[in-house]
Amino acid sequence: MTKWSRSDGEWSAAKRTIGVGGQDCDLSEIVICLRPLHASGRIHGDIKPLNIMRDFRGRWMLIDLDASARIGVESAGAKASEAYCCPQIARHALVAKKADPAAVGPMAHPAMDVWGAGVVLYELLTGRQLFPRDARTDRITTELGRRRLCMWLCASDDVLAHVADPAARHLVAWCLQGDPDDRPALKDILAHPFMTAVTPSLSKPLTAETPS
């Protein structure tokens, strides 16, 4: 694997405030929350900033398991947030189900949560929305944005250009692969050079701007 290094300044631009109450969080904490859930045979199904928060002991947790589904057993996506759902779920909800209301969605797969984590990481790193969305509902607000998600194969150079750090850019591109089999497992994310570098505790507020 290609090796990267990053300065403290580069990390400070990557570590932003997300979740309820503006608490300081980074992707490794999200992945650590996901590991026991996947080990139990379920996905979360709706990874997004509003579903990431601290409990009263200060520990990070994922909330709102309404979209959770059993891996390989249950279909997923019925309650997923449009701007954070993967292309497979989007195509079912926005195309297949409209053509056939009885159509069954894709089976739950850990890679669905990896996609959501990748979108969150992109927003943490860039301060931009991957897709233009309504902040209250997390629905994509333009037809072009919905088409982009449904037809997504991989992150374009234009999208990745907003991620300044090379290691981070590689991880974002990996998490946002259109084919779920091409996305990393949680252990691969935690072992990635971007995640294993020294991480000083400096944060900035997340202010995701709408993409042009």
Side-chain angles (χ1 to χ4, degrees):
M1 178 182 290
T2 303
K3 293 184 178 180
W4 297 277
S5 62
R6 64 183 177 191
S7 67
D8 288 0
E10 287 172 328
W11 172 257
S12 70
K15 195 172 176 66
R16 304 293 180 92
T17 299
I18 63 173
V20 176
Q23 299 291 323
D24 185 29
C25 180
D26 67 69
L27 183 66
S28 64
E29 291 161 329
I30 300 171
V31 172
I32 289 169
C33 289
L34 276 173
R35 291 179 77 179
L37 187 60
H38 286 188
S40 74
R42 302 190 70 89
I43 64 167
H44 181 278
D46 197 17
I47 301 297
K48 61 180 182 178
L50 287 178
N51 285 341
I52 303 164
M53 65 177 295
R54 287 189 189 275
D55 65 13
F56 68 95
R57 293 188 180 92
R59 298 175 302 189
W60 284 102
M61 62 186 296
L62 295 170
I63 64 171
D64 192 0
L65 293 173
D66 286 351
S68 180
R70 289 183 293 168
I71 296 169
V73 176
E74 297 174 337
S75 61
K79 297 185 178 180
S81 299
E82 204 171 75
Y84 293 91
C85 75
C86 64
Q88 293 73 32
I89 290 175
R91 285 194 291 269
H92 170 72
L94 300 173
V95 180
K97 199 164 182 65
K98 288 184 177 180
D100 178 7
V104 177
M107 289 294 105
H109 191 289
M112 293 173 173
D113 284 341
V114 171
W115 172 277
V119 178
V120 171
L121 177 61
Y122 179 81
E123 293 188 355
L124 293 175
L125 291 165
T126 68
R128 296 173 61 87
Q129 297 175 0
L130 185 59
F131 302 99
R133 58 177 169 80
D134 184 305
R136 296 168 302 173
T137 65
D138 286 322
R139 292 183 62 84
I140 298 173
T141 55
T142 67
E143 189 58 35
L144 177 60
R146 294 187 188 95
R147 287 201 301 268
R148 282 183 58 226
L149 176 56
C150 288
M151 298 175 65
W152 189 281
L153 297 177
C154 61
S156 67
D157 290 342
D158 288 345
V159 167
L160 294 174
H162 296 289
V163 183
D165 182 77
R169 193 181 311 128
H170 177 271
L171 183 55
V172 167
W174 198 5
C175 291
L176 296 183
Q177 287 293 315
D179 187 336
D181 292 334
D182 291 337
R183 294 174 209 147
L186 297 183
K187 63 181 179 61
D188 298 323
I189 295 176
L190 291 175
H192 192 275
F194 181 69
M195 304 302 292
T196 57
V198 175
T199 58
S201 56
L202 180 62
S203 65
K204 296 181 180 180
L206 173 62
T207 53
E209 61 188 50
T210 303
S212 55

